[in-house]
Amino acid sequence: PVIRAINKKYPNSQIDYVVKKQYSSTLQYNPFISSLYLYEKVKAKSIKDQIRKVKYDMVIDLQNNLRSCALTFGLSTEVKRFKKPTYKKLLLVWTKINLLKEIKPVPMRYAETVTLQLDDNRLDLFIPENINPKLVTGKKYIGICPGAKHFTKRWLEEYFIELGNGLSSQNFTVVIFGGKEDQELCEAISSKIENSINLCNNDDLLQTAIDMKQCHHIICNDSGLMHTATAVGVPITAIFGSTVSEFGFIPYLSGNSILENNSLSCRPCSHIGRSSCPKKHFKCMQEIKPNMVFDHVKSFL
């Protein structure tokens, strides 16, 4: 949305973008971008030299981390940096004092960095015409994305299996989505859901996205594929465990709902996710039962 807004405000501008190489497919076909710099650590100096050589009118740093600051340090160009609400996030995690009461999606926070007016459209993900879906058009597909980088952001494997079989009994075909790190998990779940289709792949985001478009609904964790489903306009149900909506990484302008256990005083226990539950009970996910998600998805459909 920020890229769109910059293009609208400055229609004749050249917009170049620095992105890690493994995430380049998110921007590869974006018509508003002139050039992509594919970031790798060994190329950092050459990218910075190129930024200095081009003499941009403005550099916008939406990461504001050590890596992005190193790329932009010492430039004569005006640099605008995203102001991360890190203090407020940590205050919420460690003391449960909530200064983030206004739930503001991250694109809106990004837009404030350069005082941009966003439109009412969702996230962009441009897919070339030569990528075809592996799913047959017109069937009753429900997508499941069981993966997430951190354990405390993943709903239970056995719950996904129970939910998937419940959906299968209602004549839906369950489709499993995931990336390279999710292959073992997706195979384990798919093998126990009747007539399911496992489309987990080696991080082929655009193939995943076009297959998601064939689904009536996507059920996912707080993960990258949640945003992918949002970008292609598929209604989603997102299950949040250790993280909360106030952090801003929520589905953006799409038919969606978030299921979370708001009865726990220990949430959130992290602003990014953890490798284990610090309380050892994992109630944030344990207490969101498959029948609750099943009933919710049915009513949504």
Side-chain angles (χ1 to χ4, degrees):
V2 169
I3 298 170
R4 261 198 329 263
I6 294 171
N7 178 261
K8 184 175 181 179
K9 189 172 182 178
Y10 307 106
N12 297 316
S13 62
Q14 172 184 327
I15 303 173
D16 298 337
Y17 206 105
V18 182
V19 62
K20 275 189 172 182
K21 186 176 181 180
Q22 61 264 44
Y23 305 131
S24 61
S25 58
T26 61
L27 298 167
Q28 186 176 357
Y29 299 99
N30 191 312
F32 305 129
I33 294 176
S34 300
S35 299
L36 278 182
Y37 297 121
L38 302 186
Y39 182 91
E40 296 176 89
K41 193 172 183 179
V42 295
K43 293 182 179 179
K45 185 181 183 302
S46 64
I47 291 174
K48 183 168 184 174
D49 289 343
Q50 183 66 19
I51 292 172
R52 186 179 283 113
K53 181 181 177 182
V54 173
K55 297 181 180 178
Y56 294 99
D57 296 293
M58 184 187 297
V59 171
I60 304 167
D61 178 4
L62 297 182
Q63 287 275 278
N64 194 3
N65 58 18
L66 292 174
R67 185 168 47 248
S68 64
C69 287
L71 284 176
T72 55
F73 179 76
L75 296 178
S76 57
T77 302
E78 179 185 12
V79 179
K80 291 186 177 291
R81 299 191 195 279
F82 172 53
K83 294 179 181 178
K84 291 182 175 182
T86 304
Y87 168 74
K88 293 180 180 180
K89 288 182 179 181
L90 293 177
L91 194 67
L92 181 54
V93 168
W94 294 111
T95 71
K96 304 303 182 275
I97 296 173
N98 188 1
L99 300 181
L100 293 167
K101 292 182 179 178
E102 181 186 4
I103 298 177
K104 187 180 292 186
V106 164
M108 294 175 65
R109 293 180 183 168
Y110 284 166
E112 292 172 352
T113 305
V114 271
T115 321
L116 292 168
Q117 182 66 43
L118 297 183
D119 57 30
D120 295 325
N121 295 326
R122 61 177 184 258
L123 305 179
D124 279 332
L125 184 61
F126 295 94
I127 306 171
E129 292 182 359
N130 63 346
I131 299 179
N132 297 310
K134 295 181 179 180
L135 300 175
V136 178
T137 302
K139 284 200 171 184
K140 292 172 63 177
Y141 296 115
I142 297 283
I144 284 177
C145 309
K149 184 175 181 178
H150 300 282
F151 170 82
T152 56
K153 295 172 76 173
R154 293 197 293 265
W155 201 43
L156 279 66
E157 178 180 328
E158 58 267 31
Y159 283 7
F160 274 117
I161 292 168
E162 184 177 334
L163 173 65
N165 282 312
L167 292 167
S168 180
S169 71
Q170 297 293 307
N171 297 317
F172 286 100
T173 299
V174 175
V175 184
I176 316 294
F177 295 105
K180 181 168 57 177
E181 299 297 321
D182 308 319
Q183 290 181 358
E184 187 176 329
L185 174 64
C186 289
E187 177 57 35
I189 291 173
S190 180
S191 67
K192 295 178 181 176
I193 298 176
E194 187 175 359
N195 300 319
S196 65
I197 300 172
N198 184 5
L199 290 185
C200 182
N201 59 43
N202 194 28
D203 292 340
D204 188 343
L205 185 70
L206 298 180
Q207 183 65 59
T208 294
I210 202 164
D211 286 318
M212 281 182 164
K213 290 182 75 171
Q214 304 298 316
C215 295
H216 286 67
H217 200 83
I218 298 286
I219 302 149
C220 55
N221 301 308
D222 176 10
S223 66
L225 289 188
M226 174 184 74
H227 301 295
T228 304
T230 302
V232 296
V234 182
I236 72 169
T237 294
I239 305 169
F240 276 40
S242 60
T243 52
V244 292
S245 303
E246 285 89 339
F247 294 154
F249 293 97
I250 53 178
Y252 182 71
L253 295 185
S254 177
N256 66 79
S257 59
I258 295 173
L259 293 182
E260 54 190 333
N261 188 347
N262 289 317
S263 67
L264 299 173
S265 61
C266 56
R267 289 184 70 239
C269 66
S270 168
H271 67 293
I272 56 173
R274 301 173 68 109
S275 59
S276 62
C277 170
K279 297 289 188 180
K280 310 300 181 186
H281 55 59
F282 203 31
K283 288 182 179 179
C284 61
M285 288 301 199
Q286 290 272 7
E287 293 185 352
I288 301 176
K289 302 295 185 181
N291 65 298
M292 296 165 57
V293 182
F294 180 80
D295 291 341
H296 178 82
V297 172
K298 279 184 65 179
S299 65
F300 199 103
L301 290 168

